[in-house]
Amino acid sequence: MSDSVWRGGDDPLRCVSVSVQAPGVKTFRLAPASGARVIFHAGQFVTVELPLAAGPTWRCFTIASSPLQEGAIDLTIKRQAEGSERGGTAWLHDSLQPGMTLRAKPPAGPFCLMAPPETPLLLVSAGSGATPMAAIARWLRDIDCKTPVHYVHLARQAEDWLFRDEIDGIAAALGTWKTDWLTTVAGSRPDAAAFAAMAPDLATREVFCCGPSGFMAAVEDAHAKAGGPAQAFRKEAFVAIPIPELVAEPKPVSASEEGFSVTFQPSGKTTAARPDETLLAVAGRLGIAISYACGEGICGTCRVRKLSGEIEMNHMGGIEDDEVEAGEILACCSYARSPLVLEMI
């Protein structure tokens, strides 16, 4: 393994192995082709480009392995039902084989543990939402962290419980963990009252929650009603979404709108941008393709470099401070606030 740190770009991820984790769930081990180290925090995700029939598509997947495993990352991915996505997980399950490479963006995302926890944790997940919890659990095991953890996982049936043997082993080894493995009852999920009864000390714990939106809403409701502070509740929220500005017919900039000129290099294409128009949408109007995935400033896929001018950027953790200081911005959540010159990365 090299001493250099993997930064994506021209250094793709190579598939090292593929294994079956559970029915309909596979774990893909990926390593930088250059042999560089992968640096990330437990709970973060990577964004990879999938060569789908409809065209290259960027998707975000949470890393399930421990950050101390720097030579490769594990992505544990459930095959989604036909029609629920553009075929990304189906392609991975059917086509990705050891030796193949994928373009990818470096790890990102605010849903993570950046330091050993000082207060008790509640790690609560449903379905494939177990993947960031696995990364956190494996990291706490690797650093021998004794902070109490209540680990709760919900699946439709016991055969679908992800990582159960390993998590129970971690709980037994650390000796400060409690685990609850749950199944849905007649297709329903526990409500806020059920979570409150399950974790009566909910308000005193830092909560990490990942799963379907309704499930996360129930846990968040229980946490709030128990008196837990909002800043102690974290939920995974990245999704690949269509951006309305890019789907709808482009709206021309009228003379009454006080826009700013935006120039993209190296093409030199220039247009006026409305104050409420993202730079991603501006690029789309010019026919300039910027890769994107979440559309919310989370995944960090749509990076461009600002060569001059002022912008307003409202990201959600998809870019680091040192990257911003180096001139990088996320086009999906940035707006022109003066004439701009941007460079494609």
Side-chain angles (χ1 to χ4, degrees), residues 16 55 73 98-99 116 143 150 177 191 286:
V16 176
I73 56 173
I143 63 173
H150 187 177
W177 284 41
D191 57 14
L286 287 173

Side-chain angles (χ1 to χ4, degrees), residues 125-286:
S125 62
S128 56
T131 52
M133 309 309 173
I136 292 172
R138 288 163 169 164
W139 183 57
L140 295 178
R141 173 201 61 197
D142 290 349
I143 63 173
D144 195 31
C145 178
K146 302 294 186 183
T147 299
V149 173
H150 187 177
Y151 189 100
V152 180
H153 181 63
L154 176 72
R156 291 183 179 178
Q157 52 192 359
E159 303 91 278
D160 296 331
W161 287 331
L162 291 175
F163 315 113
R164 183 185 184 184
D165 290 345
E166 183 178 2
I167 296 297
D168 282 344
I170 292 173
L174 294 176
T176 54
W177 284 41
K178 175 186 177 183
T179 60
D180 280 309
W181 300 93
L182 311 175
T183 56
T184 56
V185 178
S188 64
R189 302 188 182 102
D191 57 14
F195 283 114
M198 187 186 313
D201 59 351
L202 188 59
T204 67
R205 292 179 179 266
E206 183 176 3
V207 181
F208 284 79
C209 183
C210 186
S213 57
F215 167 82
M216 292 194 292
V219 180
E220 187 171 18
D221 186 31
H223 182 255
K225 288 180 177 176
Q231 64 270 25
F233 187 91
R234 301 186 190 190
K235 59 184 178 181
E236 181 70 289
F238 71 79
V239 292
I241 60 172
I243 297 179
E245 294 166 294
L246 300 181
V247 175
E249 189 69 21
K251 177 183 176 183
V253 179
S254 68
S256 62
E257 294 175 304
E258 297 182 0
F260 299 106
S261 67
V262 179
T263 300
F264 290 86
Q265 299 293 9
S267 67
K269 292 183 176 180
T270 300
T271 189
R274 295 187 300 274
D276 63 345
E277 187 178 27
T278 68
L279 297 178
L280 182 62
V282 175
R285 282 201 287 110
L286 287 173

